[in-house]
């Protein structure tokens, strides 16, 4: 796959997203990996996402592109059973790293292009994770495509783009905070 293998200490299990877009949960039994569950059952997608843990769930993503058309999915699964708790479909590629601060999930996508242009943009979406679901808070648009994803450092989301920009955003969000680049931007270079 394209992502890191992530260890979940509480269950002594491992999670990996494959290059075919499946998320697998597996254990090591007698030195041999044994798959407990996989999501989704069938896929022609790919994934660059490192799975992340939130309460009793795991969150990941996958996407598929055919020609200029892309579709993606962010999803949350029950960590024990692999049952789908919620998913968000998007008409874009989804980049690798997602980040959670408190109960706010941030993930990035490429902005859908309506015409051929060198001015590529990316979107960062913010959702509030609630019991067995989510609430959309909003999104911001940045200059340049994002392929490395979003990192969390000291209550700040840090994002770099292919246009050479590094953005530092306030990660202390809640439902009442305005979601705009102006309101969230701490610094950019």
């Amino acid at each position: 796959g394209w992502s890191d293998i992530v260890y979940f200490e509480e269950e002594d299990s491992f999670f990996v997203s494959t290059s075919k877009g499946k998320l697998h949960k597996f254990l090591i039994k007698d030195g041999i990996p044994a798959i407990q569950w996989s999501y989704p059952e069938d896929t022609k997608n790919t994934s660059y996402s490192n799975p992340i843990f939130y309460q009793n769930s795991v969150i990941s993503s996958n996407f598929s592109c055919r020609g200029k058309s892309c579709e993606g999915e962010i999803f949350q699964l029950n960590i024990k059973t692999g049952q789908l708790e919620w998913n968000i479909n998007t008409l874009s590629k989804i980049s690798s790293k997602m980040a959670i601060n408190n109960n706010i999930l941030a993930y990035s996508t490429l902005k859908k292009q309506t015409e051929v242009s060198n001015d590529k943009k990316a979107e960062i979406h913010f959702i509030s994770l609630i019991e067995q679901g989510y609430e959309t808070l909003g999104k911001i648009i940045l200059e340049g495509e994002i392929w490395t994803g979003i990192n969390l450092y000291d209550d700040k989301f840090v994002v770099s783009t292919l246009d050479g920009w590094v953005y530092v955003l306030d990660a202390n969000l809640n439902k009442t905070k305005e979601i705009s680049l102006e309101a969230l931007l701490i610094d950019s270079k």
Side-chain angles (χ1 to χ4, degrees):
W2 303 105
S3 66
D4 296 330
I5 295 174
V6 181
Y7 179 64
F8 186 60
E9 188 173 3
E10 290 177 36
E11 292 187 7
D12 193 27
S13 57
F14 297 86
F15 291 79
V16 65
S17 298
T18 68
S19 61
K20 298 200 176 183
K22 282 192 171 197
L23 176 64
H24 298 283
K25 177 185 179 184
F26 64 95
L27 304 169
I28 305 293
K29 294 182 181 179
D30 300 323
I32 299 170
I35 294 175
Q36 269 195 321
W37 54 255
S38 298
Y39 176 87
E41 283 189 34
D42 296 314
T43 180
K44 293 180 181 169
N45 298 346
T46 192
S47 181
Y48 295 98
S49 293
N50 291 344
I52 55 176
F53 306 117
Y54 179 74
Q55 295 179 350
N56 297 319
S57 301
V58 59
I59 299 171
S60 192
S61 69
N62 62 41
F63 68 90
S64 173
C65 292
R66 289 168 184 80
K68 294 181 181 179
S69 174
C70 294
E71 293 180 358
E73 175 188 28
I74 305 281
F75 53 86
Q76 179 174 305
L77 307 172
N78 179 290
I79 209 158
K80 292 189 181 304
T81 65
Q83 287 293 114
L84 180 66
E85 294 178 352
W86 58 259
N87 68 336
I88 300 171
N89 292 309
T90 177
L91 296 175
S92 177
K93 294 179 184 177
I94 301 167
S95 68
S96 56
K97 288 188 179 179
M98 297 178 279
I100 296 176
N101 191 42
N102 299 319
N103 71 324
I104 304 299
L105 173 70
Y107 65 91
S108 61
T109 64
L110 300 182
K111 188 172 186 312
K112 188 170 172 140
Q113 302 291 311
T114 54
E115 59 188 52
V116 176
S117 169
N118 287 335
D119 299 327
K120 304 287 187 198
K121 298 185 184 299
E123 297 176 338
I124 299 193
H125 301 259
F126 301 96
I127 62 173
S128 175
L129 301 172
I130 54 180
E131 189 173 327
Q132 300 282 322
Y134 68 92
E135 181 180 343
T136 301
L137 299 178
K139 68 181 177 184
I140 60 173
I141 298 173
L142 303 179
E143 297 297 322
E145 296 180 346
I146 298 171
W147 287 99
T148 56
I150 301 169
N151 294 284
L152 177 67
Y153 299 105
D154 297 327
D155 291 331
K156 295 172 188 75
F157 292 128
V158 179
V159 182
S160 61
T161 71
L162 290 181
D163 278 13
W165 284 97
V166 176
Y167 294 91
V168 179
L169 306 170
D170 184 2
N172 289 311
L173 301 173
N174 58 46
K175 294 178 187 179
T176 61
K177 185 155 189 167
E178 178 188 352
I179 304 297
S180 69
L181 184 56
E182 295 77 24
L184 300 180
L185 185 65
I186 294 172
D187 198 7
S188 64
K189 281 195 175 294

